[in-house]
Amino acid sequence: MTSKKTSKATMAERQDLFGHLSPEDQEKVRKAMEKTMAAPLEDAYAVEPGPTDYKAQAEARKAKIKAEAPAKRMERFQQLHLVEHKTVMPNLAAKTGLFAPVKPGRRKFLREYENVPVWGLSGVEVAYKHEQLNQLDLNVYLLLVSFARRRGENKAAFTRREGLKALRLNDSGKNYREFDKFIDRLGSTRVQIAVTGQDEHGQDRRFVLRDALAPRDYHESRGGLYVVELSTALQGFFAVDDWSLVSLPQRLELGQNQWALTVHAFLSANKPLPGGFWFTWDQIHHLWGQGYESLSMLRRDFRRRVLKPLHAIGFIKRVEENSTSAIGLWW
């Protein structure tokens, strides 16, 4: 891993973490999210021509939604070709604090919704309640998405052995119980997404979506068969900010290094820039180092616990630093 000092001229030309989306682009993304959130409500309350019988109207609406749902659900997936050893990750899963870098024994359990950070998108709020999700939950969610894409629908069907093998775990009772906890957590933790904006008359409005990432699952104990249904509503929301290809085997090499996994997901959800992706140390502190009181300690641990492991798995290609104020990454 190369590490170089960068001149002031180079630094002046850099694009930092929060500058890769212009205010206009951010507003376009926010409006697209608002449209996605509003669609179910508009469908539900639309007055359609045709039968005046309410029962007939409801049946016609159900038939229309059922006919359109598969195409809408798979529209984004069909644009992503299957790539060996890669799965797709919704960018917003990495651009929010929903999958926190916390160790399994330190998860929070919340009875009320609590907001998590959302980076680079104004007018969007993400919150959760019940058991806190971490980067290992994200790994399992990515695995479920890959199994679902294999079938071409929103249901992941697989055997217990397939799931454990994909996560590089032995087929044992202990690992089976641990895997079952991941599935249960993705089905029980509620995610709330809110998009705030204005209607055509300039009046404030706020759309709220609540669901679990994998709200339903079925399994058969003898053969270890699983069918896990992913939330189509959350997939539709995630697709607004697009998807990125990410290497699950590469993430598994990081083990339980929550900090490195978080940075790996975040960088994977952003396009590499020719001039490097630049962070100030204050930004890194804001994103992932709020437990540090000293920036010097943060810099030391970030190099040791994040940059070194990410370089060891071949993800980070190059690092440059400008004195003690900023760091540039290439991947």
Side-chain angles (χ1 to χ4, degrees), residues 49-68:
T52 54
D53 181 1
Y54 286 115
K55 184 176 180 180
Q57 267 193 0
E59 292 300 324
R61 187 177 299 117
K62 286 180 182 178
K64 178 182 176 183
I65 293 173
K66 186 176 180 179
E68 293 178 351

Side-chain angles (χ1 to χ4, degrees), residues 19-316:
H20 69 288
L21 273 184
S22 67
E24 293 78 11
D25 289 337
Q26 286 193 36
E27 181 61 16
K28 287 179 183 177
V29 172
R30 190 201 63 76
K31 286 183 177 180
M33 291 179 182
E34 184 179 81
K35 184 177 179 181
T36 301
M37 299 278 281
L41 295 175
E42 291 173 353
D43 287 344
Y45 289 98
V47 179
E48 300 177 359
T52 54
D53 181 1
Y54 286 115
K55 184 176 180 180
Q57 267 193 0
E59 292 300 324
R61 187 177 299 117
K62 286 180 182 178
K64 178 182 176 183
I65 293 173
K66 186 176 180 179
E68 293 178 351
K72 288 182 178 178
R73 183 169 61 233
M74 294 308 302
E75 183 179 355
R76 291 301 300 129
F77 284 140
Q78 289 170 352
Q79 296 178 27
L80 292 162
H81 299 291
L82 286 171
V83 178
E84 190 176 5
H85 304 309
K86 298 261 185 171
T87 186
V88 291
M89 177 184 68
N91 288 343
L92 283 174
K95 293 182 179 180
T96 72
L98 182 60
F99 295 96
V102 296
K103 294 181 179 180
R106 297 183 180 179
R107 299 176 190 270
K108 293 190 291 186
F109 186 90
L110 303 173
R111 297 188 181 278
E112 303 295 334
Y113 283 102
E114 180 177 289
N115 283 350
V116 299
V118 178
W119 302 302
L121 293 172
S122 60
V124 179
E125 296 177 5
V126 177
Y128 78 96
K129 71 175 180 179
H130 300 152
E131 196 168 3
Q132 188 177 31
L133 302 175
N134 69 9
Q135 288 292 308
L136 301 183
D137 295 300
L138 178 57
N139 284 349
V140 176
Y141 180 66
L142 295 178
L143 178 64
L144 296 179
V145 170
S146 69
F147 283 142
R149 290 182 64 233
R150 186 174 65 181
R151 290 172 55 88
E153 57 182 30
N154 71 318
K155 291 180 181 177
F158 54 96
T159 66
R160 176 182 67 195
R161 179 170 295 180
E162 281 182 299
L164 293 177
K165 183 178 179 181
L167 294 173
R168 298 182 181 177
L169 297 173
N170 295 325
D171 188 7
S172 67
K174 178 183 178 182
N175 287 334
Y176 166 66
R177 290 189 293 273
E178 194 64 28
F179 182 74
D180 209 41
K181 288 179 182 178
F182 282 113
I183 301 297
D184 188 53
R185 194 158 39 243
L186 291 171
S188 61
T189 296
R190 300 282 293 176
V191 178
Q192 174 179 285
I193 301 171
V195 180
T196 304
Q198 293 183 333
D199 61 18
E200 62 274 14
H201 305 295
Q203 299 295 316
D204 290 339
R205 63 179 179 182
R206 186 171 183 259
F207 292 103
V208 178
L209 166 67
R210 292 171 181 159
D211 204 353
L213 289 164
R216 278 169 291 280
D217 67 273
Y218 319 84
H219 65 273
E220 184 269 319
S221 59
R222 176 179 291 182
L225 302 176
Y226 276 87
V227 176
V228 182
E229 185 174 339
L230 304 179
S231 168
T232 54
L234 286 177
Q235 284 189 27
F237 174 80
F238 281 147
V240 171
D241 194 42
D242 217 333
W243 304 69
S244 296
L245 287 169
V246 62
S247 170
L248 182 56
Q250 199 175 58
R251 287 179 59 80
L252 294 176
E253 288 185 40
L254 295 170
Q256 299 199 23
N257 186 335
Q258 295 284 325
W259 200 0
L261 285 165
T262 302
V263 176
H264 181 276
F266 184 85
L267 295 180
S268 297
N270 289 277
K271 293 181 179 179
L273 301 173
F277 207 92
W278 286 87
F279 300 84
T280 66
W281 286 106
D282 285 335
Q283 287 171 346
I284 291 176
H285 183 265
H286 172 72
L287 289 169
W288 307 299
Q290 295 184 9
Y292 284 85
E293 296 182 1
S294 166
L295 282 182
S296 62
M297 293 287 288
L298 172 65
R299 287 193 294 268
R300 184 200 68 181
D301 284 356
F302 189 79
R303 295 186 188 104
R304 179 174 59 87
R305 296 173 53 192
V306 178
L307 297 183
K308 186 176 180 180
L310 290 178
H311 177 259
I313 64 171
F315 182 71
I316 291 289

